[in-house]
Amino acid sequence: MRASPSAGPARYFGALASMIAGSVSNPRALALNLAIFPKSVYFAEQVEAEGIQHIHANWASHPAMSAWIMARLTGASWSFAGHASDIYLQRTMLREKIEAAKFVVTCTRHNKDYLAGVGGRRGGQQDRGELPRRGSGPVQARPSAGRRHLPDP
């Protein structure tokens, strides 16, 4: 059973405190993470209302932070894709994101090896990265019947 963002302040403040503690060494990242926190709470409520089971962020930096927050608040699984500057230059909480994500996707063997080194071991899984083959065909992703797109905030 998934947790509700409205289940109580402990979950909300726990996510906020973890985000602050993980970002405090980088003032720019901390400011940006604080700016996205209320938006992430709003979208966590939408994730819950829509019954969304998995969240994916296409960058390892602030989009992954937002997905991490939403997952902490709702209990949904989540993943992210890491590319270049978002894994090499904007490393704030990268290890925590790798460890918390269901999986991580990247586009090169070098990035995969790098992320595996940053992520360390979690639950006996040393290698949490996926390396999709480009040009292997389209992936069809469709919303479930009766689902609508998330409303604009």
Side-chain angles (χ1 to χ4, degrees):
M1 178 169 202
R2 292 178 18 175
S4 164
S6 59
R11 184 172 295 275
Y12 175 90
F13 287 112
L16 180 60
S18 294
M19 183 196 71
I20 291 170
S23 305
V24 74
S25 65
N26 183 335
R28 181 178 183 276
L30 177 59
L32 290 168
N33 288 343
L34 287 170
I36 66 166
F37 191 83
K39 296 173 188 176
S40 301
V41 171
Y42 169 81
F43 283 113
E45 292 170 355
Q46 299 303 310
V47 163
E48 183 178 68
E50 293 292 326
I52 295 169
Q53 300 295 312
H54 185 83
I55 303 160
H56 181 76
N58 199 36
W59 298 97
S61 55
H62 302 312
M65 179 56 66
S66 182
W68 179 86
I69 293 163
M70 288 186 276
R72 291 270 312 247
L73 296 177
T74 66
S77 65
W78 74 285
S79 58
F80 69 90
H83 304 281
S85 66
D86 59 321
I87 61 174
Y88 294 106
L89 301 178
Q90 301 169 13
R91 296 175 39 111
T92 302
M93 293 186 67
L94 184 58
R95 181 184 187 102
E96 292 88 341
K97 293 173 199 171
I98 292 168
E99 291 177 349
K102 184 174 183 177
F103 62 90
V104 177
V105 176
T106 191
C107 57
T108 69
R109 171 74 51 200
H110 178 78
N111 287 354
K112 181 179 179 180
D113 294 343
Y114 174 77
L115 290 169
V118 170
R121 292 182 160 257
R122 180 185 174 272
Q125 295 177 320
Q126 184 175 12
D127 186 357
R128 300 178 49 74
E130 300 286 332
L131 185 62
R133 298 290 176 219
R134 295 188 184 229
S136 61
V139 175
Q140 298 297 321
R142 296 184 191 138
S144 301
R147 293 242 172 106
R148 58 183 175 73
H149 292 284
L150 291 177
D152 291 330

